[in-house]
Amino acid sequence: MIGRRRGITNRQGDFVESESWRRVLAQPDPNLPEPNLFVGREAEIGRLAARAEAARLGSPSFVLIEGPAGIGKTALARQAREMAEGFRVLSATGAEDETGLAYGVVDQLLAGLAPGRALSRDHRARPDEQWAAGSALVDLFGTLGAEQPLAVFVDDVHWADGPSLSALAFALRRLRADPVLGVLVGRSGAPLPAGLVRLAGGETGERMELTGLDARELAELAHGLGLRDLPRRTFERLADHTRGSPLHARALLEELSPDDLRSGGPLPAPRAYSSLVLSRLAALAAPARDLVVAAACLGPRCPLGLAARVAGVDDPGAAVDAAVEAGMLSARSRAAGWELAFSHPLVRAAVYEDLGPARRTSLHGRAADLTTGAARLDHRVAAALVEDADLATELEAAATGEAAEGAVGAAAEHMLSAARLSPAAAVGERRLVEAVRLLVLAGNASEASAYAAELARLPASSRRDLVLGHLALLTGRLSDAEALLEASWAGGSHGAEAAHTAAQLAQLMLIQGRGTEAAQWARRAAQAHPEASARVAAVSRLMTGLANSGRAEEALGLVEGFDPPSGTAGLSPADVDRLLGRGVVRLWTDHLEGARDDLLAAVTQVNRWGHLKEAAIFLTHLADAEYRLGLWDDALAHADQAASLAEDSDQAWLLGGTHSMVVFPAAGRGLWELAGAHARRAVEAAAALPETEEANRGYAASAAAHLAWAQGDPTGVVEAVKPILSFRNRAGSYEPGTMPWRELYAEALVTLGRLDEADAVLTPYEELAAERGRRSSQAAASRARGALELARGRPELARQAFALAVEHAAAVPAPFDEALARYCYGRFLRRAGERRAAFAELSGARQTFLAVQAVPFLERADRELAGTGLAPSPRRGPYPSRPPLTPQELAVARLAAAGRTNKEVAAELVVSVKTVEYHLANVFAKLGIRSRRQLVAHVG
């Protein structure tokens, strides 16, 4: 039997748990250690810290933390307690069996105090007059607060007794200038005294509704448990499955093997949770129990009538009521009739996983008889326990059609099922190879890797070797990739298969810096099958390989006369391939406006196709063009999107380059935390790849050097570029116009007094830049040459070099580079005593630095201008700029300002509509605006 069994995993809407079921959700696994790992919640931690500090300074603050069971409310409150250093802490916890014990919670709060400070019996004589107890608490909190700041914590407030809550509300609402922090923790939707609710919504209060952890935070949780090699897709599935519950996510991370977590199969419920669910299910009467089980086979939600027919329940009314009352299902009336949904994905998982093969087969068989189309096909697959040639053939046909329509992920799933159900071994093996190929094309490298060992055991064939080689390339195993792809080529591949093999070899050579060989393989791809080669970017790889080898003019000649259709709707894969190739070569040869036009059109089309890998590559080059053109807002947004897509699709070989591109505009603006985070991720990702992978290592080193240069750290620059100096294949990283590092390295060596080393770096760079006619590289080299000649005591040669840098930079539409050249020249002129000439150059540089918000360089220009004596001294404090929008916020804001709807923005950025709404809310708050029309003035 080949492949893995898959159930139906329709992912649809959400229903809130019923109150009767919340207790089940809260039950921990008694075999688990105390969950002392705390991850995520950065925003909430910041808000709690602000509230604690306000209380410390004498402004009473109150926070009500709410959320479903198991979401981490108590853990967050524990963090708040740790922030309350120096506070006297009073704490209590509500208990379900003590809700009728009047003032039980107040007694807990005061238990550690001296007896004289407890509430007297007079305050509890009449429980309906809690104002008396409240007044006593006001006096007590004020007295304690006068001695030291006071923090009051009440957990499980939904089970606290009413008199205690009323007294607390009375007391906390009447504090005005006392150093008191109140933190209450309870379940969402639980009834609370009106006074507490008003307090949470008042000026000194805050209401925090906790939601589940996202995929990034669950990855952090996994790392804390020692699981460090799981793909991002695993955590996205885990977040959906558990609704981000830290309790249940942790249980599954500890119960399942890494292989189970990596696979694309359905996730189970945690063991302790399943036991509670199944005991609750067993307590139902047979009709209700059968209805729940049938619904589990139909998906997270389903029509009531269909579930009743599958279950064989003739009168489902009472059964539905019982299932809802038990908290297993929710029922809603829709236009098409009543609809059932599970109260939580884990409930369905527990019920479905408990079904034996015979009952599962029977139920799915009934469902197949009652449904049509794709649903019927999926139920037939789930019902199949043994091989079925006819069904396998039908699945292969469905997969082929889906792949042709671009639904590659669905096609891969159906092809995997076809492989599993194939009676003939050879046919099943062929289908498995095709299924893994589709997984790779869908960008699902992690799930494809789960089948790598199974593929490796199959008889060698050119197609098998192509798929394994492509997978090895995507996961950074370059030696394996080269051996497998060359074996595929030598094995007699032909037509489209040969074109794909050669194209992957071309890509492999490019990332190893072997430009000439890349061009050779790209030509072979085009010759093997021109139409197929367009879909694997053979022309762009050929052009890039030629340009990396110093043959940029020859590369551009390949697309001479190419005139793509206006707009992007009519672009074919061949058009996009040519646009990418021409855009990259134009970028490296200083034709920046044309490069941006080409790359923007290509990006728009691949986004429309939903090709994540290609989108990440195209966006990185587009961001590079925008950075050079001084469009730093766009560069930040597009580079961040590229890095996110590379991470999401588990493309190890893209991470170094995509993260590096964020560093350039971020460092240029002095956004040190953002730039540093991406620089570290780039270096980390590149270091995880083989040493032969020179492209990512080169981009990462270049970005780290750029960050150190922007921070004025010459030693950091020298350390950052060391990996590049060890490269065996220097094409690409040493080609002028590709990676900006040699001018930074030379300038750093000059600053450190290593003048001869600087000359040895600079001279071949100058000669090659002049030979290639790269004006931007010549400008950068001349800046470094000016610094070197000045350090050698040859001011006239330095003057000539700086003036030449300005001349070269002015010939290229790269404003920041020109501003750098003018700044260096102006700095030299000021030291030469030529104040007016210096003022002119420095003023021009300053204007550009201000326009692109290059704050570190703006500050340096102002200091130099002040030194001329012709400009006022720079003012103290930060320079004016818009509030610090994150790259994600900026990307959303710019698209919204351009008139895109939230749905259109979500599609273009490959995020959810809710994510767009979240970012827009943050943007509006930061900019102090209320409408999308106002965005234009800020980011348009």
Side-chain angles (χ1 to χ4, degrees):
M1 186 176 290
I2 297 173
R4 301 184 181 196
R5 178 168 188 142
R6 279 168 170 67
I8 301 173
T9 54
N10 297 328
R11 291 164 51 188
Q12 302 184 37
D14 242 5
F15 286 82
V16 178
E17 307 96 7
S18 65
E19 182 60 37
S20 62
W21 189 242
R22 285 176 175 156
R23 298 177 194 174
V24 176
L25 290 172
Q27 297 299 317
D29 186 338
N31 298 316
L32 288 179
E34 178 67 16
N36 54 8
L37 284 175
F38 186 84
V39 299
R41 310 294 189 202
E42 290 90 351
E44 290 85 356
I45 288 289
R47 287 154 59 190
L48 282 169
R51 290 290 175 184
E53 185 60 21
R56 192 190 309 274
L57 297 175
S59 297
S61 289
F62 173 74
V63 181
L64 176 60
I65 302 174
E66 296 179 292
I71 206 66
K73 303 182 298 297
T74 299
L76 180 61
R78 191 179 300 125
Q79 296 297 309
R81 284 193 66 158
E82 293 181 7
M83 294 175 200
E85 185 177 354
F87 282 66
R88 180 195 295 270
V89 175
L90 306 180
S91 61
T93 301
E96 185 178 14
D97 56 355
E98 295 181 1
T99 55
L101 180 61
Y103 297 107
V105 164
V106 168
D107 281 342
Q108 289 185 57
L109 289 173
L110 306 184
L113 300 177
R117 287 181 166 175
L119 292 183
S120 71
R121 290 291 166 185
D122 293 340
H123 297 132
R124 28 179 111 221
R126 295 179 56 192
D128 60 331
E129 294 184 2
Q130 286 89 24
W131 61 267
S135 297
L137 285 180
V138 171
D139 181 59
L140 180 61
F141 289 169
T143 302
L144 295 176
E147 298 169 2
Q148 71 182 103
L150 175 67
V152 179
F153 291 91
V154 181
D155 199 0
D156 288 338
V157 69
H158 49 282
W159 283 328
D161 63 279
S164 287
L165 291 183
S166 296
L168 276 173
F170 183 94
L172 292 171
R173 287 174 59 204
R174 281 157 178 78
L175 300 176
R176 291 292 180 269
D178 304 271
V180 177
L181 171 67
V183 179
L184 273 61
V185 180
R187 298 266 178 85
S188 299
L192 293 174
L196 282 180
V197 175
R198 288 195 300 271
L199 181 61
E203 185 177 345
T204 61
E206 183 165 1
R207 198 168 187 171
M208 290 186 186
E209 178 71 28
L210 296 193
T211 56
L213 300 179
D214 61 22
R216 178 187 61 81
E217 292 162 334
L218 290 181
E220 188 180 345
L221 176 64
H223 291 171
L225 296 172
L227 299 169
R228 297 185 175 274
D229 60 346
L230 295 173
R232 182 182 178 88
R233 190 178 296 270
T234 290
F235 302 112
E236 291 172 344
R237 293 174 59 234
L238 193 61
D240 286 341
H241 187 59
T242 64
R243 291 184 181 165
S245 164
L247 177 69
H248 302 313
R250 174 171 177 161
L252 287 175
L253 288 169
E254 294 186 327
E255 291 175 9
L256 300 178
S257 71
D259 285 343
D260 288 335
L261 289 166
R262 286 190 196 95
S263 78
L267 291 169
R271 285 191 293 266
Y273 187 97
S274 290
S275 296
L276 291 166
V277 171
L278 295 176
S279 64
R280 211 169 179 86
L281 179 66
L284 293 174
R289 188 168 59 246
D290 291 344
L291 186 68
V292 172
V293 170
C297 290
L298 292 171
R301 68 168 58 168
C302 62
L304 169 59
L306 177 61
R309 289 194 296 276
V310 171
V313 176
D314 296 329
D315 183 10
V320 171
D321 288 343
V324 170
E325 177 64 26
M328 306 290 285
L329 296 173
S330 295
R332 288 186 177 180
S333 177
R334 302 291 191 188
W338 283 88
E339 182 180 76
L340 300 179
F342 280 88
S343 57
H344 195 285
L346 293 178
V347 177
R348 177 185 177 244
V351 173
Y352 189 78
E353 288 296 317
D354 187 58
L355 295 178
R359 192 171 188 197
R360 188 180 295 188
T361 298
S362 173
L363 289 170
H364 280 296
R366 288 186 213 165
D369 292 337
L370 296 168
T371 54
T372 59
R376 179 173 184 273
L377 186 61
D378 287 341
H379 284 299
R380 289 174 61 202
V381 170
L385 290 179
V386 297
E387 290 84 356
D388 185 329
D390 292 339
L391 180 55
T393 300
E394 191 174 339
L395 285 164
E396 182 176 16
T400 301
E402 289 162 341
E405 294 174 359
V408 186
E413 291 297 310
H414 281 139
M415 195 65 77
L416 283 169
S417 296
R420 175 176 67 85
L421 295 171
S422 300
V427 176
E429 291 165 359
R430 174 182 61 76
R431 287 168 173 164
L432 178 61
V433 171
E434 176 63 10
V436 178
R437 185 186 76 83
L438 290 167
L439 285 172
V440 171
L441 289 180
N444 194 349
S446 57
E447 188 172 350
S449 296
Y451 297 96
E454 195 169 350
L455 256 63
R457 291 192 292 269
L458 300 181
S461 69
S462 59
R463 192 164 187 79
R464 184 209 71 160
D465 290 341
L466 167 59
V467 173
L468 286 173
H470 192 180
L471 180 58
L473 174 61
L474 294 182
T475 53
R477 296 179 290 109
L478 302 191
S479 297
D480 291 345
E482 187 167 359
L484 286 162
L485 291 169
E486 287 184 343
S488 176
W489 181 265
S493 60
H494 59 277
E497 185 176 296
H500 281 73
T501 302
Q504 298 309 325
L505 279 163
Q507 184 65 56
L508 174 63
M509 300 304 156
L510 281 175
I511 63 177
Q512 291 182 322
R514 297 154 66 179
T516 300
E517 293 171 87
Q520 292 171 349
W521 280 111
R523 286 190 190 279
R524 290 169 185 159
Q527 292 165 357
H529 196 294
E531 183 178 345
S533 68
R535 297 185 178 276
V536 291
V539 171
S540 59
R541 290 171 184 177
L542 172 56
M543 295 179 70
T544 305
L546 290 172
N548 265 335
S549 306
R551 298 155 64 185
E553 296 306 318
E554 182 181 346
L556 289 172
L558 295 174
V559 291
E560 187 175 359
F562 169 56
D563 184 19
S566 58
T568 58
L571 292 177
S572 68
D575 293 330
V576 172
D577 185 18
R578 293 186 182 95
L579 283 171
L580 173 62
R582 188 172 69 181
V584 171
V585 178
R586 282 176 163 178
L587 170 66
W588 291 345
T589 56
D590 298 334
H591 302 291
L592 301 181
E593 292 101 335
R596 182 173 187 259
D597 290 343
D598 284 346
L599 293 166
L600 188 57
V603 162
T604 303
Q605 183 59 69
V606 297
N607 274 341
R608 183 175 287 115
W609 289 335
H611 295 175
L612 297 189
K613 181 187 74 175
E614 288 80 0
I617 296 170
F618 291 19
L619 283 164
T620 302
H621 290 305
L622 175 60
D624 194 354
E626 290 165 337
Y627 170 72
R628 300 187 195 202
L629 284 164
L631 304 173
W632 286 10
D633 284 348
D634 291 328
L636 268 173
H638 287 137
D640 183 81
Q641 187 184 354
S644 176
L645 288 176
E647 293 281 5
D648 291 349
S649 55
D650 295 314
Q651 307 292 325
W653 66 287
L654 292 177
L655 296 177
T658 55
H659 282 283
S660 293
M661 198 55 243
V662 182
V663 177
F664 291 92
R669 284 186 166 168
L671 302 174
W672 306 128
E673 185 176 349
L674 177 66
H678 282 278
R680 287 189 296 273
R681 180 63 179 126
V683 171
E684 172 192 276
L689 297 172
E691 288 190 2
T692 54
E693 210 287 25
E694 294 185 356
N696 271 280
R697 293 172 66 223
Y699 280 119
S702 176
H706 189 89
L707 174 57
W709 165 74
Q711 293 176 322
D713 177 13
T715 302
V717 173
V718 172
E719 286 298 313
V721 302
K722 281 183 177 178
I724 301 179
L725 302 178
S726 65
F727 285 178
R728 291 180 296 175
N729 303 296
R730 296 187 170 186
S733 58
Y734 278 73
E735 177 66 20
T738 55
M739 297 180 189
W741 65 273
R742 280 189 288 183
E743 64 272 26
L744 307 183
Y745 184 43
E747 287 179 356
L749 291 172
V750 170
T751 304
L752 296 173
R754 296 159 60 177
L755 305 187
D756 290 342
E757 292 178 69
D759 199 6
V761 170
L762 199 53
T763 298
Y765 181 37
E766 292 171 312
E767 292 172 351
L768 195 57
E771 178 186 330
R772 303 279 198 260
R774 306 288 179 265
R775 300 294 292 271
S776 60
S777 299
Q778 288 175 280
S782 295
R783 288 200 325 263
R785 173 61 65 182
L788 176 58
E789 296 301 344
L790 191 60
R792 283 177 165 172
R794 299 191 286 203
E796 285 308 311
L797 291 178
R799 178 191 298 272
Q800 293 172 18
F802 286 131
L804 189 59
V806 173
E807 179 184 335
H808 284 308
V812 180
F816 181 62
D817 284 352
E818 183 178 358
L820 286 174
R822 297 189 70 180
Y823 167 77
C824 291
Y825 191 23
R827 190 168 179 265
F828 167 81
L829 292 171
R830 186 183 75 77
R831 283 156 177 72
E834 302 175 39
R835 295 189 303 156
R836 293 195 178 279
F839 181 81
E841 297 297 334
L842 291 168
S843 295
R846 185 191 190 281
Q847 186 175 356
T848 298
F849 291 150
L850 182 61
V852 298
Q853 299 182 54
V855 174
F857 301 91
L858 185 61
E859 293 171 344
R860 294 170 199 174
D862 276 343
R863 287 195 294 270
E864 291 294 330
L865 279 166
T868 67
L870 301 175
S873 297
R875 67 182 188 83
R876 301 293 180 185
Y879 287 86
S881 66
R882 70 170 59 103
L885 300 182
T886 67
Q888 300 92 332
E889 290 167 353
L890 188 57
V892 169
R894 291 181 73 80
L895 290 172
R900 306 282 213 288
T901 65
N902 286 0
K903 186 175 181 180
E904 290 168 339
V905 173
E908 184 155 344
L909 298 181
V910 199
V911 296
S912 69
V913 173
K914 285 190 175 181
T915 298
V916 172
E917 294 169 350
Y918 170 79
H919 286 317
L920 274 180
N922 287 341
V923 168
F924 284 8
K926 287 183 178 182
L927 299 184
I929 60 177
R930 295 185 177 181
S931 72
R932 297 165 81 98
R933 285 183 297 177
Q934 293 174 285
L935 276 176
V936 177
H938 293 271
V939 298

